[in-house]
Amino acid sequence: MVTGLIAKEDILNYKIVHAVDHHNEELQEKLVNAVRLGNTFKSKVTITFMTADGPKKVETTVWNATKEYIELKGGILIATKSLLDITY
């Protein structure tokens, strides 16, 4: 699956859709770690998520995560059901 790296500010230009094969439960531990890295160490993670144009990647800091959404700096939200992978 080919993914395009985009800037965090460009996320709002894409329609975020649910991933056909999302791994919400599997990614919960990674989300907890991503929030810890963002809030404690100001470290960025790479998030791969599904859009109507196909999968996209963004390198950013995760400020908060719930079961429904992850929050990035600037109040940008991404639905957890659209997540494909998180790497750090």
Side-chain angles (χ1 to χ4, degrees), residues 4-53:
L5 182 64
I6 62 171
K8 175 188 55 121
E9 295 78 17
D10 291 338
I11 292 173
L12 299 175
N13 296 330
Y14 292 91
K15 180 180 179 186
I16 298 174
V17 297
H18 291 178
V20 174
D21 186 26
H22 67 86
H23 309 282
N24 199 15
E25 290 79 28
E26 297 169 21
L27 293 175
Q28 286 303 313
E29 185 175 339
K30 284 187 171 185
L31 282 173
V32 170
N33 291 334
V35 171
R36 186 177 301 126
L37 285 169
N39 289 318
T40 304
F41 301 104
K42 307 301 184 230
S43 296
K44 293 183 178 185
V45 297
T46 301
I47 301 167
T48 306
F49 60 98
M50 185 58 76
T51 71
D53 296 328

Side-chain angles (χ1 to χ4, degrees), residues 2 7 13 20 25 27 43 45 62 68-69 71-72 76 85 87:
V2 177
N13 296 330
V20 174
E25 290 79 28
L27 293 175
S43 296
V45 297
V62 178
E68 301 292 324
Y69 294 96
E71 181 181 1
L72 310 179
I76 296 172
D85 194 22
T87 56

